[in-house]
Amino acid sequence: MDGTLIDSEKLWDVGLHELAIQLGGELSQQTRDSVVGSNMDNTMLVIFTSLGVEPDPAAMDKAAQWLTERTAELFRIDLPWRPGAREALESLYEHGVPMALVTSTERTLTEVALDSIGRHFFAATVCGDEVGGRNKPDPAPYLMAADLLGVSAGQCVAVEDSPMGMQSAVAAGCTVLVVPAEVPIAPGAAWIVRDSLVGVDAFTLGALRAADVG
């Protein structure tokens, strides 16, 4: 979702930088890059540690709650689409291709985002707080999504923007298309890289799947 369908990573940036200031420091670019695609628990741990703040569970829970509420405010104001993302969803939906949204964002914020994205596109959604702690880069989120769609992960094409998400989808056995957003990703043997989703439709993704099987 974040960075793949919508350009929400910039909205996360606002909240993360504000949180770092509240904790008495500044968010470095290295720290920001390291939590792209991560779940909330890991994000809090990384930020607290990078700022030299004691990672007290109660303090991290309070910070996570603040960040969730702040990000929800920003999500309601504006959720800009990534180039080509809406058109890709519409093509897949029109051609009856079942889709699952697999995100490290927690359910509360995902529901806010779905009001703008369009929940009708997705037959299933898997959020960061629904995988029993086995978040990306673990394959569990994509395996769960494939199961909810009633297919094997090997029959799925995953579209990702972050290293953690890419690793999760590859480990699950999906055909993987990567459109980097915040963190550069080079082409690899197990994934395909594009600059954007402009021009990507049901036939494009179908061809990727066919080529991977071949």
Side-chain angles (χ1 to χ4, degrees):
M1 184 177 75
D2 300 291
T4 302
L5 296 179
I6 51 177
D7 203 7
S8 50
E9 289 294 349
K10 291 182 176 60
L11 304 183
W12 278 103
D13 280 349
V14 173
L16 288 169
H17 280 281
E18 291 176 352
L19 176 61
I21 292 171
Q22 288 185 31
L23 294 172
E26 292 187 10
L27 186 71
S28 70
Q29 189 61 50
Q30 181 180 0
T31 299
R32 177 65 185 102
D33 289 347
S34 71
V35 297
V36 172
S38 182
N39 69 316
M40 184 66 80
D41 288 344
N42 184 62
T43 296
M44 289 300 102
L45 180 60
V46 170
I47 289 176
F48 271 63
T49 302
S50 71
L51 295 175
V53 179
E54 178 67 28
D56 174 69
M60 289 195 295
D61 285 346
K62 182 178 179 180
Q65 181 61 36
W66 181 89
L67 181 60
T68 298
E69 292 172 359
R70 177 65 174 130
T71 307
E73 290 177 3
L74 297 168
F75 274 21
R76 292 188 182 98
I77 294 170
D78 183 31
L79 273 184
W81 285 91
R82 292 280 291 161
R86 185 180 185 89
E87 292 78 7
L89 283 181
E90 289 173 344
S91 175
L92 289 160
Y93 185 74
E94 289 169 3
H95 287 88
V97 180
M99 290 181 281
L101 182 68
V102 183
T103 177
S104 293
T105 299
E106 296 183 352
R107 172 60 65 180
T108 302
L109 276 177
T110 301
E111 288 297 319
V112 174
L114 283 171
D115 288 339
S116 295
I117 296 171
R119 62 188 69 247
H120 66 283
F121 285 122
F122 305 103
T125 56
V126 176
C127 300
D129 52 345
E130 298 172 342
V131 291
R134 296 181 62 191
N135 298 89
K136 300 174 184 179
D138 191 287
Y142 278 103
L143 293 173
M144 183 182 295
D147 186 59
L148 290 171
L149 292 178
V151 298
S152 70
Q155 294 174 277
C156 299
V157 176
V159 184
E160 270 288 351
D161 72 289
S162 71
M164 286 192 183
M166 176 197 73
Q167 292 164 24
S168 174
V170 169
C174 303
T175 297
V176 183
L177 172 63
V178 182
V179 182
E182 299 297 316
V183 181
I185 299 175
W191 60 90
I192 302 99
V193 176
R194 284 183 62 115
D195 291 335
S196 78
L197 287 174
V198 174
V200 172
D201 57 17
F203 300 100
T204 308
L205 296 179
L208 289 180
R209 179 75 198 107
D212 198 40
V213 172

